[in-house]
Amino acid sequence: MAVSVLSGKVQVATASGEKEVLAAGRELVKVDNKDYVVKDIPDAAMRGAWKNGEMVFRQQPFALIAAELEDYYAIEINFKSEQLAGLRITGRFSYAQTPDEILRSLCLVNGNKFSREGNNYTVFE
């Protein structure tokens, strides 16, 4: 469980009754059944991107990006190698883009290619 504040301030009461005021760029994260930690949000822009209809990735494995694309577009993405799946990628994409457009951009950066059969995609070298 976590509460992240992208703008403004939020007061949070924990299960033990402790109150914490969080300002923009901070989050309260539950670390176990009793303890909470307040910390800076690693990248506030990434957390709020969905509100703007965007997907933002910073040094994420290609496989993790593929999983998000699979969930949103109801497609399946396979990789010909574990090395491809593990490539770290940074990028910003709109949910209005098609999966083909996004995969084309992702593959172009790394010199890879993809094929498509219906809703099934395969990324290869």
Side-chain angles (χ1 to χ4, degrees), residues 1 3-4 22 27 34 55 65 92 98-99 111 114 116 119 122 124:
M1 195 272 310
V3 175
S4 302
L22 303 174
E27 69 182 356
K34 298 179 185 177
M55 294 173 270
I65 296 170
R92 180 181 297 255
T98 67
F114 72 92
R116 175 182 177 195
N119 286 335
T122 302
F124 55 94

Side-chain angles (χ1 to χ4, degrees), residues 1-5 12 14 20 22 26-42 47:
M1 195 272 310
V3 175
S4 302
V5 182
V12 180
T14 65
E20 187 77 43
L22 303 174
R26 303 279 288 165
E27 69 182 356
L28 180 133
V29 180
K30 186 175 183 180
V31 290
D32 61 34
N33 288 337
K34 298 179 185 177
D35 293 328
Y36 295 83
V37 173
V38 176
K39 61 182 186 171
D40 289 332
I41 297 174
R47 295 279 172 102

Side-chain angles (χ1 to χ4, degrees), residues 47-94:
R47 295 279 172 102
W50 62 270
K51 292 190 307 184
N52 300 324
E54 295 181 325
M55 294 173 270
V56 178
F57 306 105
R58 179 160 292 137
Q59 291 299 307
Q60 296 295 314
F62 203 164
L64 187 67
I65 296 170
E68 186 164 335
L69 295 174
E70 288 175 333
D71 288 344
Y72 186 77
Y73 294 104
I75 60 174
E76 184 177 323
I77 301 172
N78 297 295
F79 295 90
K80 283 288 189 181
S81 73
E82 290 295 319
Q83 183 180 6
L84 285 173
L87 288 174
R88 299 257 175 203
I89 298 175
T90 296
R92 180 181 297 255
F93 303 96
S94 168

